[in-house]
Amino acid sequence: MKKMKLTKLLPAALALMLMSTAVYAEDQSNSAQSVMTLNLAPYIKITTSTAAVSSDTGYGQDYGSITINTDLAPTFKVINNDPSRVIYLKGTAPVSGSGTTNALYGGADGSDMKIVFTNTSNAPADTSVQNITSGSPTASSNPNAIAFSMASTITPQENTGAENPASVEFSEEDGIKYPIKNGIYDFAYNITGDNITNTFDTNDTNGTYQATLTLTTAQP
Amino acid sequence: MNKKTISKLFIFFVAATLCAVRAYGYAEAEQPIQTVVQPAVAIEKLPSSRETGSINPETGTHDGLSSVFSIQTNGNDEGYDFVVTSKIMTEGGEVSGYGNSGSILFGNTLSMPTSAAIEDAKMGGNNNKNVIAYPVTAAITNPMSVEFQNNYGIHGDCYVVKVNGGTEGTLTHTVSQNPISGTYNIGQDEAGEYKAVVTFSAVSK
């Protein structure tokens, strides 16, 4: 490097050194950040305030029909925080051999549902119930099993995120399948009126007839 | 005097200055040297911060969160705003995450809350889907002080720190475990991750 250039650079370097303190002291902002996260785990609670519901029945003329005197109205409350939850309603009735079998049948979209009750002290064979759930019952082929209509009312509570379930499906394997959003729901069922045609006759012996509804997150 | 001569003289002058100590025996002169020390601040988040936790879905209670910051400064309250701000994401973007009484809002990161839900939660209402508010306790080492203020200048709702002549301190921003009544609702608040961002800043005025 030539001498001339050196003599030019030296004053510049000196000036920079003297300025350095001032540059360093420029106003500055300083900050630190804390990112806090909380995990809210999926949760669901299903309860019923109607542990058991029962009613007496009356007979039609010449034992031609049977009528539930007081509506059977089981209800469930669902509290759920998962927006993509699926719950299932399963209906079962006792059959011989200390087991139970599917007691629900109806439309594939969960409409026009019916439920079969069976004699608890004289439980029928599985085939007796299946004769009804097939949808084409013959009274003599379903002893000790009687079917009734079952209406349902789902009430999503306001301001909870709950909505009426869309795309409800029914199958014998799954029962009624409800896709639900987060929120609080009341699921109410009502079983009332006369027996479904061809599910009651003198083959149905006296006694207590029972069915069980289970609302669950577990796929049956 | 030409440029070359000036440069030579300058170099001579510098050399003479650097050699001044050696020449001390011959003469004495005082040259006051002054430098201006500008205000400076260093703020750091400390490892003792607890930034993740879990919410009990039945109650909305969480298992404890706190942000701990250190501050070192030679600045004063006239020169700086020392503020703790909070941000929360909404459907419409980022907004202040402090409630009207200094509570802090956590928002669902997957299903972000609406602005209306945020405003409701800030007032401790009960129509605030996917927002949960918790009380905050803020403390700082003496002689520094901290308190919550609404609409504090350009910083909005924030905790304001006064250093009060102090130079070092530790600020602890603790999120209370129980949600503010009405802001947690198991039906409204979807499962998932809820987030709040707290920032401690020194902003020169």
Side-chain angles (χ1 to χ4, degrees):
Chain A
M1 198 178 285
K2 291 179 181 177
K3 269 187 181 177
M4 199 169 172
K5 284 190 177 173
L6 276 173
T7 54
K8 283 182 179 173
L9 282 173
L10 194 61
L14 194 62
L16 278 174
M17 283 169 63
L18 293 171
M19 286 170 62
S20 61
T21 307
V23 171
Y24 173 77
E26 277 294 306
D27 278 352
Q28 55 186 326
S29 295
N30 202 338
S31 67
Q33 200 173 69
S34 176
V35 179
M36 295 184 289
T37 55
L38 289 168
N39 181 49
L40 179 58
Y43 175 92
I44 188 166
K45 186 176 187 180
I46 301 174
T47 55
T48 176
S49 56
T50 50
V53 289
S54 62
S55 170
D56 291 332
T57 54
Y59 300 124
Q61 189 174 10
D62 297 332
Y63 209 67
S65 64
I66 186 169
T67 303
I68 295 173
N69 289 342
T70 307
D71 292 3
L72 300 174
T75 61
F76 299 90
K77 189 179 199 72
V78 177
I79 303 172
N80 168 49
N81 73 358
D82 183 343
S84 303
R85 181 78 75 174
V86 176
I87 57 175
Y88 303 87
L89 181 77
K90 189 73 178 171
T92 55
V95 291
S96 56
S98 303
T100 61
T101 191
N102 170 51
L104 289 178
Y105 66 109
D109 60 356
S111 64
D112 194 25
M113 293 304 300
K114 304 169 188 73
I115 185 167
V116 180
F117 288 69
T118 58
N119 193 316
T120 55
S121 56
N122 191 11
D126 203 353
T127 51
S128 180
V129 177
Q130 287 171 1
N131 174 264
I132 297 175
T133 57
S134 68
S136 302
T138 303
S140 59
S141 300
N142 52 57
N144 292 319
I146 311 169
F148 297 91
S149 289
M150 183 182 80
S152 63
T153 305
I154 302 169
T155 308
Q157 282 192 12
E158 283 185 24
N159 300 322
T160 66
E163 297 174 9
N164 270 311
S167 306
V168 175
E169 297 173 9
F170 170 75
S171 67
E172 191 170 330
E173 295 74 30
D174 290 344
I176 304 177
K177 181 180 172 182
Y178 300 105
I180 61 168
K181 295 190 174 297
N182 59 296
I184 301 175
Y185 297 82
D186 292 311
F187 284 74
Y189 299 92
N190 197 51
I191 300 157
T192 187
D194 295 342
N195 62 283
I196 302 296
T197 304
N198 292 328
T199 68
F200 177 72
D201 68 359
T202 53
N203 284 292
D204 299 308
T205 57
N206 65 305
T208 298
Y209 284 68
Q210 179 180 302
T212 302
L213 287 177
T214 305
L215 192 61
T216 176
T217 58
Q219 187 170 12
Chain B
M1 205 178 285
N2 60 26
K3 277 186 179 177
K4 205 168 179 180
T5 308
I6 290 172
S7 295
K8 282 180 180 173
L9 279 173
F10 187 77
I11 292 167
F12 174 76
F13 173 75
V14 172
T17 305
L18 294 174
C19 293
V21 176
R22 290 182 184 175
Y24 180 77
Y26 299 98
E28 181 176 300
E30 285 187 359
Q31 175 60 64
I33 300 171
Q34 290 185 326
T35 182
V36 177
V37 179
Q38 296 289 344
V41 183
I43 294 174
E44 288 183 10
K45 182 185 70 184
L46 299 181
S48 54
S49 298
R50 183 173 179 188
E51 296 179 289
T52 58
S54 299
I55 298 172
N56 180 328
E58 291 196 5
T59 62
T61 301
H62 68 82
D63 49 4
L65 290 178
S66 62
S67 303
V68 186
F69 300 95
S70 68
I71 176 170
Q72 289 184 299
T73 182
N74 61 356
N76 56 36
D77 297 317
E78 287 68 42
Y80 280 98
D81 280 332
F82 300 95
V83 291
V84 182
T85 54
S86 176
K87 297 294 181 189
I88 184 172
M89 285 300 296
T90 72
E91 286 179 345
E94 199 175 61
V95 297
S96 171
Y98 280 129
N100 292 350
S101 57
S103 61
I104 188 168
L105 276 51
F106 285 74
N108 192 310
T109 56
L110 278 181
S111 298
M112 284 186 282
T114 62
S115 297
I118 295 285
E119 291 308 312
D120 183 83
K122 284 184 176 182
M123 293 185 291
N126 56 14
N127 190 11
N128 43 62
K129 183 177 178 173
N130 291 324
V131 190
I132 311 171
Y134 295 91
V136 168
T137 304
I140 194 164
T141 314
N142 282 332
M144 298 181 181
S145 61
V146 57
E147 68 173 3
F148 180 75
Q149 292 197 23
N150 289 109
N151 298 316
Y152 184 69
I154 59 170
H155 309 293
D157 299 340
C158 61
Y159 281 86
V160 178
V161 171
K162 297 295 183 187
V163 296
N164 300 324
T167 57
E168 290 186 4
T170 301
L171 171 73
T172 304
H173 178 282
T174 303
V175 181
S176 299
Q177 292 178 263
N178 294 321
I180 290 176
S181 178
T183 67
Y184 178 71
N185 181 316
I186 193 170
Q188 286 187 4
D189 297 315
E190 297 176 15
E193 183 186 77
Y194 285 72
K195 185 163 95 173
V197 178
V198 171
T199 305
F200 184 16
S201 304
V203 182
S204 58
K205 293 180 179 175

Short mmCIF file of all heavy atoms in Angstrom, two decimals, chain B residues 37-92:
data_model
loop_
_atom_site.label_atom_id
_atom_site.label_comp_id
_atom_site.label_asym_id
_atom_site.label_seq_id
_atom_site.Cartn_x
_atom_site.Cartn_y
_atom_site.Cartn_z
N VAL B 37 -21.88 7.97 29.45
CA VAL B 37 -22.40 6.60 29.54
C VAL B 37 -23.91 6.65 29.33
O VAL B 37 -24.64 7.19 30.15
CB VAL B 37 -22.08 5.97 30.91
CG1 VAL B 37 -22.65 4.56 30.98
CG2 VAL B 37 -20.59 5.96 31.15
N GLN B 38 -24.34 6.12 28.20
CA GLN B 38 -25.76 6.17 27.86
C GLN B 38 -26.53 5.11 28.64
O GLN B 38 -25.98 4.09 29.05
CB GLN B 38 -25.94 5.92 26.36
CG GLN B 38 -25.33 6.97 25.48
CD GLN B 38 -26.08 8.28 25.53
OE1 GLN B 38 -27.23 8.34 25.97
NE2 GLN B 38 -25.45 9.36 25.07
N PRO B 39 -27.82 5.35 28.87
CA PRO B 39 -28.63 4.33 29.54
C PRO B 39 -28.63 3.03 28.74
O PRO B 39 -28.65 3.06 27.51
CB PRO B 39 -30.03 4.94 29.57
CG PRO B 39 -29.86 6.36 29.24
CD PRO B 39 -28.59 6.52 28.49
N ALA B 40 -28.60 1.95 29.44
CA ALA B 40 -28.65 0.66 28.77
C ALA B 40 -29.48 -0.30 29.62
O ALA B 40 -29.59 -0.14 30.84
CB ALA B 40 -27.25 0.11 28.57
N VAL B 41 -30.09 -1.27 28.96
CA VAL B 41 -30.95 -2.23 29.65
C VAL B 41 -30.67 -3.62 29.12
O VAL B 41 -30.45 -3.80 27.92
CB VAL B 41 -32.45 -1.91 29.41
CG1 VAL B 41 -33.33 -2.88 30.19
CG2 VAL B 41 -32.78 -0.49 29.78
N ALA B 42 -30.67 -4.56 30.02
CA ALA B 42 -30.60 -5.96 29.60
C ALA B 42 -31.72 -6.72 30.29
O ALA B 42 -31.81 -6.75 31.52
CB ALA B 42 -29.25 -6.56 29.97
N ILE B 43 -32.61 -7.32 29.50
CA ILE B 43 -33.72 -8.10 30.06
C ILE B 43 -33.61 -9.51 29.52
O ILE B 43 -33.42 -9.72 28.31
CB ILE B 43 -35.09 -7.50 29.66
CG1 ILE B 43 -35.26 -6.12 30.30
CG2 ILE B 43 -36.23 -8.41 30.07
CD1 ILE B 43 -36.51 -5.39 29.85
N GLU B 44 -33.74 -10.46 30.40
CA GLU B 44 -33.66 -11.86 29.97
C GLU B 44 -34.76 -12.67 30.65
O GLU B 44 -35.12 -12.40 31.79
CB GLU B 44 -32.31 -12.48 30.34
CG GLU B 44 -31.15 -11.98 29.52
CD GLU B 44 -29.86 -12.70 29.90
OE1 GLU B 44 -29.93 -13.69 30.64
OE2 GLU B 44 -28.80 -12.24 29.45
N LYS B 45 -35.23 -13.66 29.93
CA LYS B 45 -36.13 -14.64 30.56
C LYS B 45 -35.26 -15.67 31.27
O LYS B 45 -34.28 -16.16 30.69
CB LYS B 45 -37.00 -15.32 29.51
CG LYS B 45 -37.99 -16.30 30.09
CD LYS B 45 -38.74 -17.03 28.99
CE LYS B 45 -37.82 -17.99 28.26
NZ LYS B 45 -38.46 -18.66 27.13
N LEU B 46 -35.61 -16.00 32.50
CA LEU B 46 -34.78 -16.93 33.28
C LEU B 46 -35.28 -18.36 33.14
O LEU B 46 -36.47 -18.61 32.92
CB LEU B 46 -34.79 -16.51 34.75
CG LEU B 46 -34.22 -15.12 35.03
CD1 LEU B 46 -34.24 -14.82 36.53
CD2 LEU B 46 -32.79 -15.01 34.50
N PRO B 47 -34.37 -19.31 33.29
CA PRO B 47 -34.75 -20.72 33.15
C PRO B 47 -35.75 -21.18 34.19
O PRO B 47 -36.40 -22.21 34.01
CB PRO B 47 -33.41 -21.46 33.33
CG PRO B 47 -32.37 -20.45 33.08
CD PRO B 47 -32.94 -19.12 33.48
N SER B 48 -35.89 -20.44 35.26
CA SER B 48 -36.86 -20.85 36.29
C SER B 48 -38.31 -20.61 35.85
O SER B 48 -39.24 -20.99 36.56
CB SER B 48 -36.59 -20.11 37.59
OG SER B 48 -36.56 -18.71 37.36
N SER B 49 -38.48 -20.01 34.70
CA SER B 49 -39.84 -19.82 34.16
C SER B 49 -40.49 -21.19 33.94
O SER B 49 -39.84 -22.14 33.52
CB SER B 49 -39.80 -19.08 32.83
OG SER B 49 -39.24 -17.79 32.99
N ARG B 50 -41.78 -21.24 34.22
CA ARG B 50 -42.53 -22.47 33.93
C ARG B 50 -43.58 -22.10 32.89
O ARG B 50 -44.55 -21.41 33.20
CB ARG B 50 -43.18 -23.02 35.20
CG ARG B 50 -43.89 -24.31 34.93
CD ARG B 50 -44.39 -24.99 36.17
NE ARG B 50 -45.08 -26.22 35.80
CZ ARG B 50 -45.77 -26.97 36.63
NH1 ARG B 50 -45.83 -26.64 37.89
NH2 ARG B 50 -46.38 -28.05 36.20
N GLU B 51 -43.38 -22.61 31.68
CA GLU B 51 -44.17 -22.10 30.55
C GLU B 51 -45.16 -23.09 29.97
O GLU B 51 -45.88 -22.75 29.04
CB GLU B 51 -43.22 -21.63 29.44
CG GLU B 51 -42.35 -20.46 29.88
CD GLU B 51 -41.40 -20.03 28.78
OE1 GLU B 51 -40.45 -20.79 28.50
OE2 GLU B 51 -41.60 -18.95 28.21
N THR B 52 -45.18 -24.31 30.48
CA THR B 52 -46.15 -25.28 29.96
C THR B 52 -46.90 -25.91 31.13
O THR B 52 -46.34 -26.08 32.21
CB THR B 52 -45.49 -26.39 29.14
OG1 THR B 52 -44.52 -27.06 29.96
CG2 THR B 52 -44.80 -25.83 27.92
N GLY B 53 -48.14 -26.25 30.88
CA GLY B 53 -48.95 -26.87 31.92
C GLY B 53 -50.15 -27.56 31.32
O GLY B 53 -50.34 -27.57 30.10
N SER B 54 -50.96 -28.11 32.20
CA SER B 54 -52.17 -28.83 31.77
C SER B 54 -53.38 -28.26 32.50
O SER B 54 -53.28 -27.85 33.65
CB SER B 54 -52.05 -30.32 32.08
OG SER B 54 -50.97 -30.87 31.40
N ILE B 55 -54.49 -28.28 31.80
CA ILE B 55 -55.75 -27.81 32.39
C ILE B 55 -56.59 -29.02 32.78
O ILE B 55 -56.74 -29.96 32.01
CB ILE B 55 -56.53 -26.96 31.37
CG1 ILE B 55 -55.72 -25.72 30.97
CG2 ILE B 55 -57.88 -26.54 31.93
CD1 ILE B 55 -56.33 -24.92 29.83
N ASN B 56 -57.15 -28.96 33.97
CA ASN B 56 -58.12 -29.97 34.38
C ASN B 56 -59.43 -29.68 33.64
O ASN B 56 -60.04 -28.62 33.86
CB ASN B 56 -58.32 -29.88 35.90
CG ASN B 56 -59.32 -30.90 36.40
OD1 ASN B 56 -60.27 -31.26 35.71
ND2 ASN B 56 -59.09 -31.38 37.61
N PRO B 57 -59.87 -30.58 32.77
CA PRO B 57 -61.06 -30.27 31.95
C PRO B 57 -62.33 -30.05 32.77
O PRO B 57 -63.22 -29.34 32.34
CB PRO B 57 -61.21 -31.51 31.06
CG PRO B 57 -59.88 -32.15 31.06
CD PRO B 57 -59.29 -31.88 32.42
N GLU B 58 -62.41 -30.65 33.95
CA GLU B 58 -63.63 -30.50 34.73
C GLU B 58 -63.72 -29.14 35.40
O GLU B 58 -64.82 -28.61 35.60
CB GLU B 58 -63.71 -31.60 35.79
CG GLU B 58 -63.94 -32.98 35.18
CD GLU B 58 -64.39 -33.98 36.22
OE1 GLU B 58 -64.62 -33.59 37.38
OE2 GLU B 58 -64.50 -35.17 35.88
N THR B 59 -62.58 -28.57 35.75
CA THR B 59 -62.59 -27.33 36.54
C THR B 59 -61.95 -26.14 35.82
O THR B 59 -62.18 -24.99 36.21
CB THR B 59 -61.84 -27.54 37.85
OG1 THR B 59 -60.47 -27.86 37.54
CG2 THR B 59 -62.45 -28.66 38.66
N GLY B 60 -61.11 -26.40 34.85
CA GLY B 60 -60.38 -25.32 34.20
C GLY B 60 -59.11 -24.93 34.95
O GLY B 60 -58.37 -24.05 34.51
N THR B 61 -58.87 -25.57 36.08
CA THR B 61 -57.68 -25.26 36.87
C THR B 61 -56.43 -25.82 36.18
O THR B 61 -56.46 -26.94 35.67
CB THR B 61 -57.82 -25.88 38.27
OG1 THR B 61 -58.99 -25.35 38.87
CG2 THR B 61 -56.61 -25.57 39.13
N HIS B 62 -55.36 -25.05 36.18
CA HIS B 62 -54.11 -25.58 35.61
C HIS B 62 -53.09 -25.80 36.71
O HIS B 62 -53.31 -25.43 37.88
CB HIS B 62 -53.57 -24.66 34.52
CG HIS B 62 -53.07 -23.35 35.01
ND1 HIS B 62 -51.82 -23.17 35.55
CD2 HIS B 62 -53.65 -22.13 35.05
CE1 HIS B 62 -51.65 -21.92 35.89
NE2 HIS B 62 -52.75 -21.26 35.60
N ASP B 63 -51.98 -26.41 36.34
CA ASP B 63 -51.03 -26.83 37.37
C ASP B 63 -49.87 -25.86 37.55
O ASP B 63 -48.83 -26.24 38.09
CB ASP B 63 -50.52 -28.25 37.07
CG ASP B 63 -50.07 -28.41 35.64
OD1 ASP B 63 -50.07 -27.42 34.89
OD2 ASP B 63 -49.70 -29.54 35.26
N GLY B 64 -50.03 -24.61 37.15
CA GLY B 64 -49.04 -23.60 37.51
C GLY B 64 -48.18 -23.11 36.36
O GLY B 64 -47.54 -23.91 35.69
N LEU B 65 -48.20 -21.80 36.13
CA LEU B 65 -47.36 -21.18 35.10
C LEU B 65 -46.74 -19.91 35.68
O LEU B 65 -47.41 -19.17 36.41
CB LEU B 65 -48.19 -20.78 33.88
CG LEU B 65 -48.78 -21.86 32.99
CD1 LEU B 65 -49.60 -21.21 31.88
CD2 LEU B 65 -47.70 -22.74 32.39
N SER B 66 -45.51 -19.67 35.35
CA SER B 66 -44.90 -18.39 35.73
C SER B 66 -43.80 -18.03 34.75
O SER B 66 -43.10 -18.91 34.24
CB SER B 66 -44.35 -18.44 37.16
OG SER B 66 -43.33 -19.41 37.24
N SER B 67 -43.68 -16.74 34.48
CA SER B 67 -42.60 -16.24 33.64
C SER B 67 -41.70 -15.40 34.53
O SER B 67 -42.18 -14.49 35.23
CB SER B 67 -43.16 -15.38 32.52
OG SER B 67 -44.10 -16.10 31.76
N VAL B 68 -40.41 -15.71 34.51
CA VAL B 68 -39.48 -15.01 35.38
C VAL B 68 -38.44 -14.29 34.50
O VAL B 68 -37.83 -14.92 33.62
CB VAL B 68 -38.78 -15.99 36.34
CG1 VAL B 68 -37.91 -15.21 37.34
CG2 VAL B 68 -39.80 -16.83 37.09
N PHE B 69 -38.28 -13.00 34.73
CA PHE B 69 -37.36 -12.20 33.92
C PHE B 69 -36.35 -11.51 34.84
O PHE B 69 -36.70 -11.09 35.95
CB PHE B 69 -38.12 -11.09 33.17
CG PHE B 69 -39.16 -11.59 32.21
CD1 PHE B 69 -40.49 -11.70 32.60
CD2 PHE B 69 -38.82 -11.95 30.91
CE1 PHE B 69 -41.46 -12.14 31.71
CE2 PHE B 69 -39.78 -12.39 30.02
CZ PHE B 69 -41.10 -12.49 30.42
N SER B 70 -35.14 -11.36 34.37
CA SER B 70 -34.18 -10.51 35.06
C SER B 70 -34.06 -9.20 34.30
O SER B 70 -34.23 -9.17 33.08
CB SER B 70 -32.81 -11.19 35.13
OG SER B 70 -32.25 -11.28 33.84
N ILE B 71 -33.79 -8.14 35.05
CA ILE B 71 -33.55 -6.84 34.41
C ILE B 71 -32.32 -6.20 35.05
O ILE B 71 -32.15 -6.22 36.27
CB ILE B 71 -34.78 -5.90 34.53
CG1 ILE B 71 -34.44 -4.53 33.94
CG2 ILE B 71 -35.30 -5.80 35.96
CD1 ILE B 71 -35.64 -3.61 33.79
N GLN B 72 -31.45 -5.71 34.20
CA GLN B 72 -30.31 -4.93 34.64
C GLN B 72 -30.34 -3.63 33.85
O GLN B 72 -30.45 -3.66 32.61
CB GLN B 72 -29.00 -5.66 34.35
CG GLN B 72 -28.75 -6.87 35.23
CD GLN B 72 -27.40 -7.47 34.94
OE1 GLN B 72 -27.15 -7.90 33.82
NE2 GLN B 72 -26.53 -7.49 35.94
N THR B 73 -30.24 -2.53 34.55
CA THR B 73 -30.30 -1.25 33.84
C THR B 73 -29.61 -0.15 34.62
O THR B 73 -29.58 -0.18 35.84
CB THR B 73 -31.76 -0.85 33.56
OG1 THR B 73 -31.76 0.37 32.83
CG2 THR B 73 -32.54 -0.67 34.84
N ASN B 74 -29.05 0.77 33.88
CA ASN B 74 -28.61 2.01 34.50
C ASN B 74 -29.52 3.16 34.06
O ASN B 74 -29.23 4.32 34.30
CB ASN B 74 -27.16 2.32 34.15
CG ASN B 74 -26.96 2.49 32.65
OD1 ASN B 74 -27.91 2.29 31.88
ND2 ASN B 74 -25.77 2.83 32.22
N GLY B 75 -30.61 2.77 33.41
CA GLY B 75 -31.57 3.77 32.98
C GLY B 75 -32.55 4.09 34.10
O GLY B 75 -32.55 3.45 35.15
N ASN B 76 -33.37 5.09 33.86
CA ASN B 76 -34.35 5.45 34.89
C ASN B 76 -35.74 5.54 34.27
O ASN B 76 -35.93 5.36 33.06
CB ASN B 76 -33.95 6.77 35.55
CG ASN B 76 -33.80 7.88 34.52
OD1 ASN B 76 -34.56 7.93 33.55
ND2 ASN B 76 -32.82 8.75 34.73
N ASP B 77 -36.69 5.79 35.15
CA ASP B 77 -38.09 5.78 34.71
C ASP B 77 -38.43 6.97 33.81
O ASP B 77 -39.44 6.94 33.12
CB ASP B 77 -39.01 5.77 35.94
CG ASP B 77 -38.80 4.51 36.77
OD1 ASP B 77 -38.70 3.43 36.16
OD2 ASP B 77 -38.72 4.61 38.00
N GLU B 78 -37.60 7.98 33.87
CA GLU B 78 -37.84 9.13 32.99
C GLU B 78 -37.39 8.80 31.56
O GLU B 78 -37.92 9.34 30.59
CB GLU B 78 -37.08 10.37 33.48
CG GLU B 78 -37.67 11.02 34.73
CD GLU B 78 -37.52 10.15 35.97
OE1 GLU B 78 -36.42 9.57 36.16
OE2 GLU B 78 -38.49 10.01 36.73
N GLY B 79 -36.44 7.93 31.44
CA GLY B 79 -35.90 7.63 30.13
C GLY B 79 -36.53 6.42 29.45
O GLY B 79 -36.44 6.27 28.23
N TYR B 80 -37.15 5.58 30.25
CA TYR B 80 -37.68 4.33 29.69
C TYR B 80 -39.09 4.06 30.17
O TYR B 80 -39.46 4.41 31.29
CB TYR B 80 -36.83 3.14 30.14
CG TYR B 80 -35.55 2.96 29.36
CD1 TYR B 80 -34.34 3.45 29.88
CD2 TYR B 80 -35.52 2.29 28.15
CE1 TYR B 80 -33.15 3.28 29.20
CE2 TYR B 80 -34.33 2.11 27.46
CZ TYR B 80 -33.15 2.61 27.98
OH TYR B 80 -31.98 2.44 27.30
N ASP B 81 -39.84 3.39 29.33
CA ASP B 81 -41.05 2.69 29.76
C ASP B 81 -40.65 1.24 29.94
O ASP B 81 -40.22 0.58 28.97
CB ASP B 81 -42.15 2.78 28.70
CG ASP B 81 -42.89 4.10 28.74
OD1 ASP B 81 -42.95 4.72 29.83
OD2 ASP B 81 -43.40 4.52 27.69
N PHE B 82 -40.79 0.75 31.15
CA PHE B 82 -40.56 -0.68 31.40
C PHE B 82 -41.94 -1.33 31.48
O PHE B 82 -42.69 -1.04 32.43
CB PHE B 82 -39.79 -0.88 32.70
CG PHE B 82 -38.43 -0.21 32.72
CD1 PHE B 82 -38.27 1.05 33.26
CD2 PHE B 82 -37.33 -0.86 32.19
CE1 PHE B 82 -37.03 1.67 33.28
CE2 PHE B 82 -36.07 -0.24 32.20
CZ PHE B 82 -35.92 1.02 32.74
N VAL B 83 -42.27 -2.14 30.52
CA VAL B 83 -43.65 -2.66 30.47
C VAL B 83 -43.68 -4.16 30.18
O VAL B 83 -42.83 -4.69 29.47
CB VAL B 83 -44.48 -1.93 29.38
CG1 VAL B 83 -44.74 -0.48 29.77
CG2 VAL B 83 -43.80 -2.01 28.03
N VAL B 84 -44.70 -4.79 30.75
CA VAL B 84 -44.97 -6.20 30.45
C VAL B 84 -46.28 -6.24 29.67
O VAL B 84 -47.32 -5.82 30.19
CB VAL B 84 -45.10 -7.04 31.73
CG1 VAL B 84 -45.33 -8.51 31.39
CG2 VAL B 84 -43.86 -6.87 32.60
N THR B 85 -46.20 -6.72 28.46
CA THR B 85 -47.40 -6.80 27.62
C THR B 85 -47.72 -8.26 27.34
O THR B 85 -46.88 -9.14 27.51
CB THR B 85 -47.19 -6.07 26.28
OG1 THR B 85 -46.01 -6.58 25.67
CG2 THR B 85 -47.05 -4.58 26.50
N SER B 86 -48.95 -8.49 26.91
CA SER B 86 -49.36 -9.85 26.59
C SER B 86 -50.10 -9.86 25.27
O SER B 86 -50.85 -8.93 24.97
CB SER B 86 -50.27 -10.39 27.70
OG SER B 86 -50.75 -11.67 27.35
N LYS B 87 -49.88 -10.90 24.49
CA LYS B 87 -50.55 -11.02 23.19
C LYS B 87 -51.29 -12.35 23.09
O LYS B 87 -50.86 -13.36 23.63
CB LYS B 87 -49.54 -10.93 22.05
CG LYS B 87 -48.80 -9.60 21.98
CD LYS B 87 -49.73 -8.46 21.61
CE LYS B 87 -48.97 -7.14 21.52
NZ LYS B 87 -49.88 -6.00 21.39
N ILE B 88 -52.41 -12.30 22.37
CA ILE B 88 -53.19 -13.51 22.13
C ILE B 88 -53.66 -13.47 20.68
O ILE B 88 -53.97 -12.40 20.15
CB ILE B 88 -54.38 -13.60 23.11
CG1 ILE B 88 -55.16 -14.90 22.92
CG2 ILE B 88 -55.30 -12.41 22.99
CD1 ILE B 88 -56.22 -15.12 23.99
N MET B 89 -53.71 -14.63 20.05
CA MET B 89 -54.15 -14.69 18.66
C MET B 89 -55.66 -14.87 18.58
O MET B 89 -56.24 -15.64 19.33
CB MET B 89 -53.49 -15.88 17.94
CG MET B 89 -52.03 -15.65 17.60
SD MET B 89 -51.76 -14.22 16.51
CE MET B 89 -52.61 -14.77 15.02
N THR B 90 -56.27 -14.11 17.67
CA THR B 90 -57.70 -14.27 17.40
C THR B 90 -57.87 -14.60 15.93
O THR B 90 -56.89 -14.58 15.16
CB THR B 90 -58.47 -12.97 17.71
OG1 THR B 90 -58.15 -12.01 16.69
CG2 THR B 90 -58.08 -12.39 19.06
N GLU B 91 -59.12 -14.81 15.55
CA GLU B 91 -59.40 -15.05 14.13
C GLU B 91 -58.95 -13.86 13.29
O GLU B 91 -58.60 -13.99 12.13
CB GLU B 91 -60.90 -15.27 13.93
CG GLU B 91 -61.38 -16.63 14.41
CD GLU B 91 -62.88 -16.78 14.21
OE1 GLU B 91 -63.57 -15.78 13.97
OE2 GLU B 91 -63.34 -17.93 14.30
N GLY B 92 -58.96 -12.66 13.91
CA GLY B 92 -58.63 -11.45 13.16
C GLY B 92 -57.20 -10.99 13.34
O GLY B 92 -56.85 -9.91 12.89
#
